[in-house]
């Protein structure tokens, strides 16, 4: 796991705690959650750049298409969850954000698996 992935994973955990607190308080998504999501998204853009550079030195056997697909997928999951949460401003919308935040670290684990196959 790279440093960027560790930082983004920690931010996902922090954002998940904020989202759970908002769910318990029955509040709509707030600015703090949106700010954390934006920060995570910046980290994911950095991760995409690092991953694209890394692909140039991929060991034999690594599926470059799969690796880049997971990089792009991790970049798109949170905006999709955020749009859904904005359309459904209730606990359900917050639940979608929570699922999106949980998916990102799992995609990082999958990136690690794809890279180590080579």
């Amino acid at each position: 796991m790279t440093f960027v992935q560790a930082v983004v994973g920690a931010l996902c955990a922090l954002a998940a705690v904020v989202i759970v607190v908002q769910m318990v308080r029955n509040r709509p998504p707030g600015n703090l959650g949106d700010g954390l999501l934006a920060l995570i998204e910046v980290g994911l853009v950095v991760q995409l750049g690092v991953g694209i550079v890394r692909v140039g030195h991929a060991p034999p056997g690594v599926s470059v298409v799969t690796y880049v697909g997971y990089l792009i997928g991790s970049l798109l999951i949170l905006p999709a969850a955020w749009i859904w949460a904005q359309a459904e401003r209730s606990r359900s919308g917050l639940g979608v954000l929570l699922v999106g935040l949980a998916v990102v670290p799992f995609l990082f684990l999958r990136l690690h698996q794809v890279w180590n196959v080579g």
Side-chain angles (χ1 to χ4, degrees):
M1 184 172 278
T2 66
F3 176 73
V4 174
Q5 289 174 340
V7 170
V8 171
L11 287 172
C12 284
L14 177 62
V17 169
V18 169
I19 297 297
V20 167
V21 168
Q22 287 178 321
M23 287 176 80
V24 169
R25 294 178 65 201
N26 200 20
R27 304 271 183 183
N31 291 336
L32 178 60
D34 289 347
L36 284 170
L37 290 174
L39 191 58
I40 291 166
E41 198 64 26
V42 168
L44 291 172
V45 170
V46 170
Q47 173 63 30
L48 177 66
V50 168
I52 295 294
V53 169
R54 209 173 159 197
V55 163
H57 307 290
V62 171
S63 174
V64 173
V65 173
T66 303
Y67 189 79
V68 172
Y70 277 110
L71 285 171
I72 293 170
S74 68
L75 188 65
L76 298 177
I77 193 75
L78 286 181
W82 184 83
I83 289 169
W84 190 335
Q86 294 305 309
E88 177 63 42
R89 305 217 18 115
S90 67
R91 284 186 182 173
S92 300
L94 290 171
V96 171
L97 279 176
L98 197 57
V99 169
L101 287 166
V103 167
V104 170
F106 283 106
L107 289 176
F108 286 164
L109 290 174
R110 186 66 184 129
L111 278 169
H112 184 69
Q113 290 173 343
V114 169
W115 188 262
N116 284 335
V117 166

